[in-house]
Amino acid sequence: MKTVQDSELEYFDLLETISDPEIPVLTIVDLGIVRSCETISEGKVKVVITPTYTGCPAMDTIADDIKKAFAKEGLEVVLETQIHPAWTTDWITEKGKANLEAYGIAPPAHKTSDKGALMGRDEVRCPQCKSTNTEVISQFGSTACKALYRCKDCLEPFDYFKCL
Ligand SMILES: [Zn+2]
């Protein structure tokens, strides 16, 4: 007989197998969108997630992926969305940020409480050579939550995950 806590740890293991469809190295747990996960009845699990931002197209894919991953284990998911408090990039785990950088995307530079970050003056570090001598090329990179930067030292362009 498994304890409730054991099964919840297993649920998190399952959730750890699901990645942000736009950033395969970032699991939804590392992205920080999973609020809670609990058994509500035999074979039924309630998963509460906070969307990264309203209308993010990746959220539908993530919701489907969660349902599929649990269905494989014979579990039905009741998905709940919690809007408040709003998700911020502060919720990305340290492991998630390290994975982002290793993947070539500069992780969010500041806590969102930092005024400079809100004004768009992030000190962005090049994921290739770690130089902070970087410049913004476009506020919108491959997706709305990223900006396109270029490193003035190694001259490589890279995506920066904007602080939200
Ligand atoms: Zn560089």
Side-chain angles (χ1 to χ4, degrees), residues 126-131 133-134 151-156 158:
C126 168
Q128 312 295 334
C129 71
K130 319 295 180 210
S131 165
N133 186 17
T134 57
C151 176
K152 291 187 196 171
D153 285 336
C154 71
L155 305 177
E156 284 293 323
F158 62 91

Side-chain angles (χ1 to χ4, degrees), residues 6 11-12 43 69 74 94 110 122 134 145 147 152:
D6 279 346
Y11 299 156
F12 268 95
E94 289 306 312
H110 293 282
D122 300 0
T134 57
C145 53
K152 291 187 196 171

